[in-house]
Every structure is written in structure tokens, then in C-alpha cells.
Amino acid sequence: MTKTAKELQKEGLLYDVFDKELAAIKDRTYGLVNELSHVSALDKESALHLVHKIVGNLGEESYVVPPFRCDYGPNITIGAHCFINYNCCFLDSAEITIGDYVYMGPNCNIFTPCHPIHHELRRDKITEYALPVTIGSHTWIAGDVIINPGVTIGEGAVIGAGSVVTRDIPANCLAAGNPCKVIRQLNENDRKIVEKLTLNDDTKDNVYKQEHGYMYFVMDKALRSQVENTVHYVNILNKLSNSEVQRRRDFLRTFTQRLDEGAVINSPFYMEFGNHLEVGINSIIDSDCIMLNSGRIKIGDNVLIGPKTSFYTPVHPFWHDQRESWIEHAEPITIEDNVWICGGVTITGGITIGKNAIVCSGSVITRDVPADTIVAGNPAKPLRSVTGQDIKQYQAELAKQYDLNLTEKEKMERGLWYNSFDGELIKLRQKNASKTEAYSRISANTLCYKDKMANAIVHEFGENANIIPPFACTYGSNVSVGKATVINHSGIFADTNKINIGAHALIGPKSFLNCTTRPYDEKARGDGTEKSAPITIGDGAWLGGKVTVLPGVTIGRHSVIGSGSVVTHDIPDDVVAVGNPCKVIRPITEEDKINPYRTKKQQ
């Protein structure tokens, strides 16, 4: 008797992703998920009503902050007293089991599906198999964590922000990094940290304690009122088009501590304490950024912050019994003048990034960054200093193109230095913004209508291709998508140059394809100077979730890029590559066609 796709899925065997029975389940779920995305995080009753409809089980006193995304829903079990924060994504082709008292930070991702490594098994129809994920009770998963298929995280574990978890993590330990590794077991010294930060003074309220770095009660009424007010205003902000620059700026000034002249914050955007945010002159915070700003976030002048950057100031206790009493302390973040944060960056509490520093895409910042320093990696480490030679090189390149009689748009298309503040380019970006914002509001299951809209946004949209909303791109006219290619939700394509994606390619959720670079000369950066280089993704390539691809990169035909990777250099055909920076770990062979299943030993 032939097994159905649903039966194959349950048994962890290869199945057709677009099987009609499975598609019907996903269509129902996508409709509910889309409805949930339009519910305010403050409307707990409506959110819980929808989450109960979506997931298989939601324990008592648990809450999932919208937006939240999943594929099926019934495969998800969430225990009691859990808190799943803003913008988490669970790809639940296999069971996802979350214990009791689990705290999960914003923008976390649990991926259970695995596509076969060999492209021939993905070409004629998209196939996958799925491995379950289990998260033990009393764990703390910090923000921007990726949990890969088949992983079990033990009870009481703490996973550091921005980690990519590829293997099982034992109980009661601290683990972090890409790939995530155990740093140490939790011990009694972790308890003493809470004691040191506890202020035994009845005359000081929780607002005072939060402001001064002491342990405070998260559910304090005065603090919750501040959060509710800020989230309410942020919800209004996110309904305004990014093209309404002055209107957005004026509105932001009504609820942030300071927003100086020329400052810009693009949507979608999330923040909890408006009175804790200061943004300096001409600083730009691009779309899809998250600020958990229990501690103050101070951003200087002429700072550029790329898309999908997260700021996390609150710190929970490491021991679960202390954490579960809803106490935490907050550590401020300071970004000094002329800093360039390239996008997809995670910044933890207590950090200062010095003047003129450059933070490369996908970095996880766990230590202070000195001035005039370039850092990269997870955790981020200094690469080198910015020097006068960097400025001279930029000026020499600029001098070579000085006499060219080209528009700024033509310079952009040729990969030359150009002024991004040019009026023609601004109008093109604003025109495209209205299209992508409309596209991002529709549900993933409105296939016919969605495909027509996608055709209107990108330059080429191949037969049977699929871009799952929400989706954003800078111009759209530079994006070409091959036939039968699938781009999963929440992708951002900075297409200041050509982005060519071949046929039968798969791109996971929350991808960031960035053609844009800026000069190391901080003054030129502040004046809007950029240049671009094309990105090419070959036929049959598969990029896992939350992959970042940098300017000028070519990813070869059929190659596989692991989740959370930052691709800084070309990747050849027919290889598996992972990491930050992304490196080739092995070739793809005929053995991958014979045995497509990944076991825990192979992870």
C-alpha cells in the first residue's frame, strides 16, 4: 500500500512538500497566521484565541507575542508558563515540543524540515523530510537563535543570543555561538550575580531599579504601562508607509526620548520603551529591526543601521528559579557617531560601539567595539582598524569616475560610487515601497493574486515560482527569480544591483541578500555614498533559514548553505557550506542521492 505524504512526513521519510493534503493544512494555518499578524501584541485575548487555533497545545499562562509564523500548527506543543516573544518562526513539519517555563526571545527560529542535499532529489518536485525538535522545561533561549532539525535542548539550559544550534545541548549549561557550543555548566556563582544586583531599598521602585541596572520586577504595573503605550504607538507607526518620511519622523518624536533632525526609522520595527531611545542627527535605522530596550539605547549622529538588526538590553538570571520569578536587569547600549552596522546584526546589553566603527553583516556583538575598528563573526572579533589608506583608496576610486557623464542611477547600475540620496533614486524606492508593503499584507495562501503582485514587483518571475510574504526589496527591477524557485517568508533583498536567482532554488525564511556597500570614509557614508555589486544564486541551490549573502557573491549551482550562515565569498558548485563566515565543509556526492537522510551523527 502506498503511503500518503502525511504518513511519510510523520515517519521522517521524504515527502512532496506541495502534496494536496499537506497544502490544505498549511493553507488553513497561513490564513490564521496572517490574521494573527494583524493583532496587536497588547490584545492578549485575541492573540491567545488565534494561537489556540493554530498550535496543537498551548499550556496555561503561556503567551505567544504576535507576529508568529508556522507551517502546520498541530505539530507544535507548548507547555505551561512559557513566553514566546515577538516574530518567532517555527517550521513544524515534524513535532516541536517545548516544555514548561520556557522563555524564548524575539526573532527565534525552530526549523524541523530538511531538504535532501543532492539537487536531483529537489528538482522535479520539492521534497523534504523532518526531524523533531525538543526544548526542555525551564530553558532560556535568547533572541535571534536558530535551532536546527533533530536538536534537543536540555532542561534549564541557557542559549546565547544569535546562536545557531546544530547539536544537542545538555541540561543546566550556558551555550552560544555558530555553531552553538557549551561554554560551561551553570554554577552557584550565577546565583550570586542576582544577589549583587538586588537593591534592598523599599524607597526605590521598579522604575528606579530598571533605570539604574538593578534587578527589577518585569510585571510591575508602571513598567507594563510604559511598554503598552510604546507598543501601541509602534503599531501605529508600522501602518505608515516608509515613503512618508516626515510624517513618520514627526510621529516618532511624540513617543521617543529624542529623534534628531534627519533621523529615520523604517518599518516593520519593534520597541518596548520609547523613553529609552535616543537617535542622533541623520541616523538611519532600516527595516525589520528589534529593540528590547529595557535599558537605554543611545544612537549617535550619522549612524547607519542595516535591516534585521536586533538590540537586546534585558538580561535574565541564568538559574531558572530566579528567572521564573520574573526578575531581570537591564544594561544600556551605546552606538557612537558615524558607526556603520551592516545588517543582520545582534547586539547584546552593556555594549558600546565606538566612533567610526564598522560592524559586518551577521555579527553577534558580545563585547565593546573600539573606535575605528572593523569587527565580524559570531561572537564578533576585530578584523582590523580603519586607516587613512582606506580613505585614500576610496578617494582614488572616486577620482577615476569624476569625469563620467552619468546619472546616479547609471553609476549604481555600473557598480560605481553613487549618491543614494539622489532624487530619481528616492522616487524609485518610494514607488517600490508601496508595492512591497501591499504585498507583505496579504496571506501566503492567496496564490493567484500573490503571484500577480510578485510579477509586478520583481523584474523576472519564473513559472511556478513562489515568494512567500512578507517580502521587501529596494527597487525590485533588479531582481530575477527562476522557474519553480521558492523564497520563503520575511526575505529582504537590497537590490541596488542585479540579484539573479536560478531555477529550482530554495531560499529559507528571513534571508538577507545585500548588494550594497559603503565607503570606509565616514563623511562620505553620511552623505549617502554607496556602491553595489551583483549577487548570483545558481540553479538548484538551497539556502537555509536566515542566511545573509554579501555584495558580489556567487553561490554555485546545486550548493547548500547552512542556516544562519553569512556568505562573504563565492561558493563553488555542488558543495555544502556553513558558518559565519561561510566556508565549504564538503562536496556533494552521489552518496547524498543514495542516502538523503541526515542523522544526528551527520549534523
Side-chain angles (χ1 to χ4, degrees):
M1 181 179 172
T2 303
K3 293 181 179 179
T4 66
K6 189 174 181 181
E7 290 170 333
L8 294 170
Q9 183 190 62
K10 282 283 186 185
E11 294 178 25
L13 301 174
L14 282 182
Y15 62 91
D16 179 2
V17 171
F18 291 118
D19 169 77
K20 289 183 179 179
E21 182 184 12
L22 295 178
I25 299 171
K26 286 193 284 190
D27 280 354
R28 172 191 174 275
T29 302
Y30 288 157
L32 292 170
V33 163
N34 185 61
E35 191 177 345
L36 179 64
S37 70
H38 293 94
V39 172
S40 167
L42 304 176
D43 188 355
K44 193 169 182 179
E45 183 178 348
S46 296
L48 282 173
H49 175 73
L50 285 166
V51 172
H52 276 291
K53 283 186 173 183
I54 292 168
V55 304
N57 182 76
L58 183 71
E60 64 176 357
E61 299 299 322
S62 288
Y63 187 51
V64 177
V65 180
F68 167 78
R69 295 191 68 94
C70 63
D71 279 346
Y72 294 92
N75 293 334
I76 299 171
T77 298
I78 300 172
H81 305 282
C82 293
F83 186 78
I84 313 297
N85 214 326
Y86 174 87
N87 201 36
C88 287
C89 167
F90 296 178
L91 298 191
D92 58 319
S93 300
E95 290 185 354
I96 295 173
T97 305
I98 297 173
D100 300 329
Y101 292 96
V102 172
Y103 294 178
M104 185 173 291
N107 213 27
C108 284
N109 309 276
I110 300 177
F111 301 143
T112 69
C114 307
H115 298 292
I117 295 295
H118 201 286
H119 74 97
E120 288 186 14
L121 299 176
R122 306 192 303 265
R123 184 179 58 197
D124 294 332
K125 59 183 178 181
I126 299 176
T127 59
E128 66 183 23
Y129 63 100
L131 302 174
V133 167
T134 302
I135 299 176
S137 297
H138 309 291
T139 59
W140 169 26
I141 314 293
D144 283 274
V145 168
I146 296 171
I147 301 171
N148 278 351
V151 162
T152 294
I153 297 176
E155 290 196 5
V158 175
I159 308 297
S163 297
V164 180
V165 189
T166 60
R167 295 175 180 268
D168 290 354
I169 302 296
N172 299 313
C173 71
L174 171 65
N178 180 5
C180 187
K181 296 178 181 179
V182 173
I183 297 173
R184 62 176 175 83
Q185 289 296 118
L186 303 183
N187 56 53
E188 286 303 310
N189 288 330
D190 295 309
R191 290 189 181 279
K192 293 177 182 177
I193 292 172
V194 173
E195 295 170 9
K196 290 178 182 178
L197 294 173
T198 299
L199 179 64
N200 295 312
D201 183 347
D202 293 339
T203 67
K204 306 299 183 185
D205 62 13
N206 282 291
V207 175
Y208 177 92
K209 292 174 183 177
Q210 184 197 60
E211 294 279 354
H212 291 82
Y214 294 107
M215 288 287 169
Y216 63 91
F217 180 51
V218 175
M219 295 302 173
D220 175 77
K221 287 184 178 180
L223 292 175
R224 296 317 299 169
S225 177
Q226 289 183 30
V227 171
E228 288 171 4
N229 287 337
T230 299
V231 171
H232 171 70
Y233 290 129
V234 168
N235 286 341
I236 296 172
L237 178 75
N238 285 334
K239 292 175 182 176
L240 300 177
S241 172
N242 287 330
S243 61
E244 300 178 89
V245 178
Q246 191 58 51
R247 188 179 175 196
R248 291 174 59 84
R249 188 178 290 136
D250 291 342
F251 183 65
L252 275 159
R253 285 178 175 146
T254 65
F255 68 97
T256 55
Q257 179 68 26
R258 194 184 90 236
L259 192 83
D260 282 343
E261 190 62 35
V264 174
I265 301 177
N266 285 332
S267 291
F269 173 68
Y270 184 78
M271 176 175 64
E272 293 188 334
F273 289 89
N275 60 325
H276 287 175
L277 177 63
E278 299 179 40
V279 184
I281 297 168
N282 294 330
S283 289
I284 298 173
I285 300 171
D286 215 332
S287 58
D288 224 6
C289 289
I290 295 172
M291 292 186 176
L292 291 196
N293 56 338
S294 306
R296 293 186 177 274
I297 296 176
K298 185 175 181 179
I299 296 170
D301 298 338
N302 301 307
V303 173
L304 300 177
I305 298 174
K308 297 184 180 293
T309 294
S310 301
F311 298 74
Y312 297 131
T313 68
V315 183
H316 301 294
F318 282 2
W319 277 105
H320 68 84
D321 56 340
Q322 295 174 324
R323 190 164 60 243
E324 288 157 18
S325 62
W326 286 103
I327 58 170
E328 65 184 25
H329 74 283
E331 299 182 351
I333 293 173
T334 301
I335 314 294
E336 296 184 346
D337 296 345
N338 304 314
V339 168
W340 173 25
I341 298 173
C342 298
V345 170
T346 302
I347 304 171
T348 57
I351 295 298
T352 295
I353 299 179
K355 289 183 178 180
N356 312 325
I358 297 171
V359 180
C360 297
S361 292
S363 298
V364 178
I365 310 298
T366 58
R367 299 189 178 197
D368 289 350
V369 177
D372 301 296
T373 303
I374 304 171
V375 300
N378 181 0
K381 297 178 181 178
L383 299 181
R384 66 176 180 87
S385 296
V386 179
T387 67
Q389 188 59 38
D390 294 312
I391 312 302
K392 289 179 182 178
Q393 182 179 339
Y394 159 71
Q395 290 172 343
E397 290 178 10
L398 200 63
K400 287 181 181 179
Q401 65 181 67
Y402 184 78
D403 293 328
L404 296 176
N405 187 23
L406 300 172
T407 66
E408 300 304 311
K409 183 174 183 287
E410 289 169 334
K411 292 176 188 176
M412 181 182 77
E413 292 168 343
R414 294 191 185 190
L416 303 173
W417 293 110
Y418 66 95
N419 180 7
S420 64
F421 297 156
D422 172 72
E424 180 188 11
L425 294 178
I426 289 173
K427 286 179 182 178
L428 289 172
R429 291 197 296 269
Q430 289 177 338
K431 183 179 179 181
N432 185 66
S434 63
K435 293 179 184 178
T436 57
E437 287 162 3
Y439 187 80
S440 295
R441 286 192 290 268
I442 65 174
S443 175
N445 59 359
T446 55
L447 290 175
C448 180
Y449 179 48
K450 178 165 64 68
D451 290 353
K452 288 179 181 178
M453 292 182 73
N455 262 305
I457 294 170
V458 303
H459 175 62
E460 290 184 12
F461 188 67
E463 183 182 2
N464 295 322
N466 192 355
I467 300 176
I468 298 175
F471 169 75
C473 54
T474 308
Y475 294 98
S477 56
N478 291 324
V479 178
S480 296
V481 180
K483 67 177 182 180
T485 282
V486 177
I487 299 167
N488 215 326
H489 71 86
S490 303
I492 292 182
F493 290 7
D495 62 315
T496 49
N497 209 306
K498 300 293 184 185
I499 295 179
N500 293 313
I501 303 172
H504 301 280
L506 300 174
I507 299 181
K510 301 184 180 180
S511 58
F512 178 33
L513 276 55
N514 179 26
C515 294
T516 308
T517 191
R518 294 180 171 89
Y520 289 175
D521 184 331
E522 72 275 4
K523 183 180 183 305
R525 231 172 23 238
D527 291 338
T529 304
E530 298 177 349
K531 71 175 177 179
S532 66
I535 290 173
T536 301
I537 297 174
D539 293 345
W542 166 31
L543 280 61
K546 211 177 178 219
V547 167
T548 299
V549 184
L550 298 193
V553 163
T554 293
I555 295 174
R557 296 168 67 245
H558 314 144
S559 286
V560 175
I561 309 298
S563 295
S565 295
V566 179
V567 190
T568 60
H569 294 90
D570 289 353
I571 302 295
D573 295 347
D574 298 296
V575 297
V576 178
V578 301
N580 179 2
C582 188
K583 296 179 181 178
V584 175
I585 57 173
R586 69 173 179 89
I588 296 170
T589 68
E590 288 297 303
E591 177 64 23
D592 293 304
K593 188 173 13 174
I594 297 166
N595 179 20
Y597 302 101
R598 189 182 72 172
T599 66
K600 283 197 175 184
K601 290 182 180 179
Q602 295 171 320
Q603 289 177 31

